[in-house]
Amino acid sequence: MREFAFQPTQRIDQAVAAHGRDAAASYIAGGTTLVDLVKLDVMRPTRVIDVSRLPLNEVERLDDGRLRIGALVTNTALAHHPQVIERYPLLSQAILAGASTQIRNMATTAGNVMQRTRCPYYRDVAAACNRREPGSGCDALHGINRMHAVLGVSEHCIAVHPSDMCVAMAALGATLTLEGPGGTREMAFNDFHRLPAERPDREHELDDGELITHVTLDTPIEGAGSYYLKLRDRASYEFALASAGAVIAVSDGVIREARLALGGIATKPWRSIEAEQALHDQPAAITTFEMAAEAALQDAVPREHNAFKIPLARQAIVRALREACRDAERRQAHR
Ligand code: SF4
């Protein structure tokens, strides 16, 4: 492991100043991604700035009904927070479907947003990887690519974004608050992660030195039901082969509003506007869900080992939509 300077901080402005615009500096909070990658020599920070003691661990309902989540709220605390369980059950389900209890106890909200791909070639410094080393190539394209993406891919990278939490946030709608050398700014969650295109090493829209301080969830859709379905090789501590997060509002058997986001098959948390349009004002029926699944997957590009993900994702979408509708019916019955 290479040497680096370690700098604890107590205030947000102090942390941002310590980072400056030094691209070789890294923030650390839970450390569940960074420590692994430093040990593997994949990330080589010259300075590590400890932000774990910043005052960013509150969950607060705002006057306009949105929910503001501090960057340092752990995945465990967020999944079990009463506001999340009651008003955003999709988020709680998605978080609890990810990782292990021990990791969720350490992992933070902002760290989860920032987590890196699990592509094995990215984590092997002997392999060619455009994401780790721009211009070096991509060993996954003609290698073992069973776990890789079919949506949002390019000829330069087909790595899956690994987060479950982010799939729920993409479906629920959220805003990120960023603090950096240039001040404070806000960004829609769905604009934050980049597609790999020609520069897979540019994973997100953070400027050098910027820090995520909060994630604010949109006000929940009135009367909507939701469901998160994750399909994977084993029942726990495993990444998704395909996942779907659905939010649906139904009245008189007709879908009034729908949100759908996908995981395990895309290079970023994948909100499917095409599927949502196929659902809008249509009967809440299996045939509608199947049409939405077709719309969501119409641009999928399979590789040698991952073509099975397309029918698998189709099933995940149909089931998640069906269960979200049932949840909406249950909620209406209890009103
Ligand atoms: Fe690297 Fe992306 Fe290729 Fe994986 S898929 S080896 S992360 S460029």
Side-chain angles (χ1 to χ4, degrees):
M1 204 161 84
R2 293 165 198 259
E3 288 192 1
F4 54 80
F6 184 77
Q7 189 163 352
T9 57
Q10 306 285 341
R11 299 192 321 267
I12 295 170
D13 61 341
Q14 192 185 24
V16 169
H19 196 299
R21 295 192 182 278
D22 180 359
S26 285
Y27 294 119
I28 189 168
T32 53
T33 290
L34 183 70
V35 172
D36 282 354
L37 294 179
V38 168
K39 285 182 184 172
L40 292 168
D41 205 27
V42 171
M43 292 182 73
R44 301 167 182 174
T46 51
R47 176 177 298 273
V48 173
I49 299 153
D50 179 10
V51 295
S52 64
R53 289 177 175 76
L54 301 184
L56 295 171
N57 49 13
E58 298 290 326
V59 177
E60 177 189 9
R61 181 173 173 158
L62 303 180
D63 290 343
D64 60 9
R66 295 183 301 154
L67 193 72
R68 195 167 86 136
I69 303 160
L72 295 175
V73 175
T74 66
N75 287 184
T76 297
L78 189 57
H80 295 293
H81 194 281
Q83 284 280 330
V84 174
I85 291 172
E86 185 188 333
R87 301 173 69 223
Y88 303 95
L90 181 75
L91 180 59
S92 184
Q93 288 170 3
I95 292 172
L96 294 176
S100 65
T101 305
Q102 291 86 347
I103 290 174
R104 292 193 297 266
N105 287 345
M106 292 300 295
T108 63
T109 301
N112 197 322
V113 172
M114 293 292 294
Q115 72 174 287
R116 302 298 174 98
T117 182
R118 307 301 295 198
C119 173
Y121 301 106
Y122 173 76
R123 288 170 178 254
D124 176 359
V125 291
C129 173
N130 289 322
R131 190 172 288 256
R132 175 171 31 78
E133 201 174 324
S136 64
C138 170
D139 274 350
L141 290 175
H142 303 289
I144 305 297
N145 46 41
R146 178 176 179 270
M147 296 296 288
H148 287 74
V150 294
L151 288 174
V153 297
S154 76
E155 286 303 313
H156 303 276
C157 181
I158 56 172
V160 160
H161 192 278
S163 172
D164 293 289
M165 184 195 82
C166 289
V167 175
M169 287 180 173
L172 293 166
T175 303
L176 298 176
T177 306
L178 313 175
E179 189 77 33
T184 307
R185 62 181 180 133
E186 298 206 324
M187 182 178 295
F189 182 83
N190 286 313
D191 293 338
F192 181 74
H193 297 97
R194 292 185 180 187
L195 294 174
E198 294 183 354
R199 289 297 304 267
D201 56 308
R202 296 179 177 169
E203 299 187 0
H204 48 67
E205 296 290 345
L206 271 187
D207 289 337
D208 285 343
E210 276 190 315
L211 180 69
I212 299 172
T213 59
H214 298 89
V215 179
T216 304
L217 300 179
D218 291 355
T219 306
I221 298 169
E222 182 76 25
S226 65
Y227 197 77
Y228 185 73
L229 179 66
K230 178 176 182 177
L231 303 178
R232 47 189 160 171
D233 281 329
R234 61 182 181 209
S236 72
Y237 198 32
E238 181 57 287
F239 293 93
L241 294 168
S243 71
V247 181
I248 282 206
V250 180
S251 63
D252 300 325
V254 174
I255 298 166
R256 298 301 178 201
E257 199 160 347
R259 301 270 187 81
L260 181 73
L262 307 173
I265 62 167
T267 52
K268 62 176 275 187
W270 193 265
R271 184 172 168 194
S272 178
I273 302 297
E274 297 83 0
E276 293 173 10
Q277 288 170 344
L279 292 163
H280 191 67
D281 276 346
Q282 297 300 312
I286 292 292
T287 49
T288 306
F289 306 154
E290 289 171 344
M291 281 172 47
E294 290 302 324
L297 297 165
Q298 62 190 346
D299 295 326
V301 179
R303 300 279 165 176
E304 184 179 358
H305 305 117
N306 68 357
F308 75 97
K309 284 193 171 189
I310 298 174
L312 192 72
R314 195 179 294 130
Q315 294 297 326
I317 293 167
V318 171
R319 269 182 60 192
L321 291 169
R322 187 188 66 194
E323 294 303 322
C325 279
R326 287 179 177 165
D327 186 46
E329 287 166 8
R330 274 194 296 272
R331 286 170 180 271
Q332 283 170 4
H334 285 97
R335 286 173 83 188

